[in-house]
Amino acid sequence: MKKLMLAALATLSLNAFSQSYIIMDNGITITTDSSGYAYDFGHYAFPQKVTLKGGQYFVEEGTILATIDENGLFFRKYEMIPEKIKGKGINYFLSEEGALYAIDKKGYVKLTENELFKKAANFGGNYFTVADTEAQTLDLYVVDGTGKVAKADAPSLKVKDIIAFGGTYVMNNRGVVFTVATNGVVTPQDDVRVGILTKRGGNYFVDSSGYLFTVSEQGILRMPALPLSLRVSSILKLGSNYFIDQSGKLFVVDKEGNIFERTMRDYDFKTAKVISL
């Protein structure tokens, strides 16, 4: 029986990016949408069959690609999955041959092939770096919410100065966080003081002072109001747009960077086996 958590399906932004999933140890698959809701639509995906996972997708038995769309709906399809994966993120995975598979907001797969991508490294949630051997520099490439990939225009960010790669954000050696929005825009958040990144999720992170920051789909870095039941120090399992604490409470980060606890009485999230990162 289909179960909804706290609300029916909502009307979502065209830039929806935060859809995701949780696979329990018994195979029950919970999906999340970008409005911060979670659902059980009756899908099963046994953990031992998962051979590759990202934020909006996972691969079963090396040939079946499962994706989550902007409404938290789940789809399976046969896809030619490369044998050798060079790197992966929330909404893409990349083969050693330079073939990039991007999953857009509707759960469709878009393939982009480029010789340059063979030099890719430092894989974040919706971005990766590519070495330019002639210029002896590193370039940042962003995979946006429509599945398109392009070199980022971020003149104030020197990729060689990045010391921490996260989901939709990076930190440079001066302690400045740069956010990577769903539309591909990279923005320095130099007006926000952040400590060392100690826990890195997809659209959120915790710093060395114990503060929890979130990143909206528009690339806004914020310290949101926290649910009364949340202790930041107890965060244990980190997903692309959610996290689970030591007592098994589930918290979801929506597209605006707000945090909500989502309670499903029939599920023990301490048994979550496959986390979407």
Side-chain angles (χ1 to χ4, degrees), residues 1 4 14-15 23 38 40 55 72 75 77 89 91 100 104-105 107 154 173 182 208 215 221 224 231 233 237 248 272:
M1 180 177 67
L4 303 184
L14 292 177
N15 285 329
I23 303 177
D40 176 4
F75 301 93
K77 61 203 78 178
N91 64 337
L100 185 139
D104 72 6
K105 64 182 183 290
N173 55 11
T182 305
S208 52
V215 180
L221 180 65
R231 288 191 304 111
S233 61
K237 297 179 179 180

Side-chain angles (χ1 to χ4, degrees), residues 23-265:
I23 303 177
M24 313 297 278
D25 61 357
N26 61 1
I28 292 175
T29 300
I30 306 297
T31 61
T32 67
D33 66 16
S34 66
S35 292
Y37 296 107
Y39 311 94
D40 176 4
F41 287 120
H43 296 288
Y44 286 81
F46 294 102
Q48 64 270 22
K49 295 184 178 182
V50 175
T51 56
L52 177 69
K53 64 188 180 78
Q56 298 175 201
Y57 67 89
F58 60 89
V59 176
E60 297 172 291
E61 301 179 302
T63 57
I64 301 172
L65 178 65
T67 64
I68 315 300
D69 81 352
E70 58 189 336
N71 296 311
L73 298 177
F74 179 99
F75 301 93
R76 279 187 172 96
K77 61 203 78 178
Y78 284 102
E79 190 74 38
M80 293 294 295
I81 307 298
E83 289 187 7
K84 296 182 179 180
I85 302 297
K86 187 174 182 65
K88 64 185 181 67
I90 291 174
N91 64 337
Y92 73 90
F93 55 93
L94 177 64
S95 78
E96 288 192 350
E97 300 303 316
L100 185 139
Y101 295 74
I103 291 83
D104 72 6
K105 64 182 183 290
K106 295 181 180 180
Y108 293 116
V109 181
K110 296 188 177 180
L111 175 62
T112 304
E113 297 181 276
N114 192 321
E115 284 289 317
L116 286 174
F117 296 165
K118 293 181 179 181
K119 303 176 183 177
N122 303 312
F123 300 94
N126 59 344
Y127 64 85
F128 55 90
T129 65
V130 174
D132 186 333
T133 53
E134 292 185 3
Q136 295 185 335
T137 60
L138 280 174
D139 295 321
L140 191 73
Y141 282 78
V142 178
V143 184
D144 70 18
T146 68
K148 295 179 181 178
V149 57
K151 186 165 72 171
D153 181 16
S156 62
L157 174 62
K158 294 183 179 359
V159 179
K160 66 180 180 61
D161 293 338
I162 296 175
I163 60 171
F165 294 87
T168 55
Y169 53 87
V170 299
M171 174 180 276
N172 70 6
N173 55 11
R174 293 186 296 110
V176 176
V177 172
F178 290 73
T179 58
V180 187
T182 305
N183 61 7
V185 175
V186 180
T187 305
Q189 306 290 330
D190 45 12
D191 59 335
V192 183
R193 295 188 63 180
V194 178
I196 297 170
L197 306 190
T198 58
K199 295 181 180 181
R200 307 177 204 175
N203 57 355
Y204 64 91
F205 61 83
V206 178
D207 75 356
S208 52
S209 297
Y211 294 119
L212 177 58
F213 295 83
T214 61
V215 180
S216 76
E217 291 185 346
Q218 294 75 36
I220 299 171
L221 180 65
R222 54 181 299 204
M223 292 179 61
L226 302 181
L228 293 177
S229 58
L230 172 60
R231 288 191 304 111
V232 175
S233 61
S234 72
I235 294 174
L236 182 62
K237 297 179 179 180
L238 290 78
S240 56
N241 72 328
Y242 64 85
F243 51 87
I244 300 168
D245 72 5
Q246 294 171 349
S247 63
K249 292 193 289 287
L250 171 68
F251 299 88
V252 183
V253 183
D254 75 3
K255 60 178 178 279
E256 302 298 335
N258 301 306
I259 300 176
F260 301 95
E261 181 183 359
R262 298 309 188 192
T263 303
M264 299 179 81
R265 290 182 298 176

